[in-house]
Amino acid sequence: MSQVDYTAISEGELKRYFLKNRGDKAALQAYLYRRKKRSNSIIIKVGDSDFDTKIGAAIRQQMKEDKD
């Protein structure tokens, strides 16, 4: 069995790989590390007039990242 370079594949590809190879603990660790490393930035403040626009953009961005 060949080694997979987890750093060379996208987060989405790594997730799909792990779901197909659930016994690969290194893949799980690599995926969890990437998820933890992901920024948890504040995207909006209370009372922001562009609330709907910013929330919608953040959701679309997250969905795009999850697809990759």
Side-chain angles (χ1 to χ4, degrees):
M1 185 162 114
S2 64
Q3 283 289 73
V4 176
D5 183 3
Y6 305 121
T7 61
I9 59 177
S10 72
E11 189 173 307
E13 290 171 323
L14 182 54
K15 179 180 179 181
R16 285 187 295 276
Y17 172 82
F18 174 70
L19 290 173
K20 290 180 182 176
N21 300 278
R22 292 181 186 263
D24 189 340
K25 292 182 182 185
L28 174 61
Q29 290 175 344
Y31 178 72
L32 292 176
Y33 174 75
R34 285 193 193 183
R35 294 290 296 184
K36 184 176 182 180
K37 193 171 77 167
R38 186 186 288 181
S39 172
N40 290 326
S41 62
I42 297 172
I43 58 172
I44 195 149
K45 294 182 180 177
V46 175
D48 194 324
S49 62
D50 292 334
F51 180 85
D52 291 337
T53 303
K54 289 180 180 178
I55 290 295
I59 291 169
R60 284 188 296 280
Q61 179 64 35
Q62 183 65 46
M63 289 172 63
K64 180 182 176 206
E65 288 174 7
D66 287 345
K67 266 190 191 175
D68 293 338

